Amino acid sequence: MLDALLDLGVVRPTPDSPCGLTALNPATALAELINRVEQDLLRRHRRAGDTRAELPELIARYHPTNTDTLPGEPLSEVDRRVLELLASGITDEAAARVVGFSVRQLRRRVAALMARLEAASRFEAGVAAARRGWVRAAGR
């Protein structure tokens, strides 16, 4: 209990007093508590400010700036061709014939590309590939 009172600033240790503590009036205790909370918030804010200043470096470290590749292997010509064919709206069967794959192989390749692009749908994969410059957006 005594530790809680000390932490709250309601009492202060004083070697001169008979019990070793001096009770502060509530207004003084509250002012000291507010001061401590304010100092703690300022320390936290400085740490948040430091983190905010480090953010661009962290982004650069963990998000590659080279938009042509993602971590891992570079995009192969076959993958680029598959993406271009799918972006053109061609069916899986026709795209598989063009690149010389079975339909199953093509779908597996598309699934791997979607995972690599972190896309939930083929459309999202097409948008992500266009943003990375892997394929040209329609009409360009």
Side-chain angles (χ1 to χ4, degrees):
M1 179 72 175
L2 183 58
D3 290 335
L5 292 172
L6 286 167
D7 287 343
L8 288 173
V10 176
V11 295
R12 177 182 292 153
T14 324
D16 299 350
S17 74
C19 68
L21 296 172
T22 302
L24 301 176
N25 73 31
T28 305
L30 183 59
E32 287 194 18
L33 180 62
I34 290 171
N35 186 36
R36 260 191 272 142
V37 169
E38 184 179 59
Q39 293 303 315
D40 186 47
L41 287 173
L42 287 172
R43 273 193 306 277
R44 288 181 188 183
H45 181 70
R46 271 192 235 99
R47 284 194 302 256
D50 293 344
T51 303
R52 210 176 5 248
E54 294 170 1
L55 192 58
E57 177 189 335
L58 292 171
I59 290 171
R61 186 182 314 157
Y62 294 107
H63 191 293
T65 54
N66 182 354
T67 58
D68 193 40
T69 60
L70 290 175
E73 298 177 15
L75 187 67
S76 71
E77 284 303 313
V78 173
D79 287 340
R80 189 179 311 275
R81 184 71 177 134
V82 166
L83 285 170
E84 288 172 352
L85 289 168
L86 293 176
S88 73
I90 197 169
T91 65
D92 286 354
E93 291 76 14
R97 278 194 304 274
V98 170
V99 293
F101 287 172
S102 70
V103 174
R104 177 180 248 170
Q105 285 174 311
L106 179 89
R107 288 182 178 152
R108 285 183 183 157
R109 188 57 80 60
V110 169
L113 287 167
M114 286 174 57
R116 191 170 172 190
L117 291 163
E118 298 177 350
S121 68
R122 288 170 162 234
F123 178 79
E124 191 177 331
V127 170
R131 282 189 181 146
R132 286 179 173 82
W134 290 359
V135 294
R136 285 191 303 270
R140 286 189 182 174

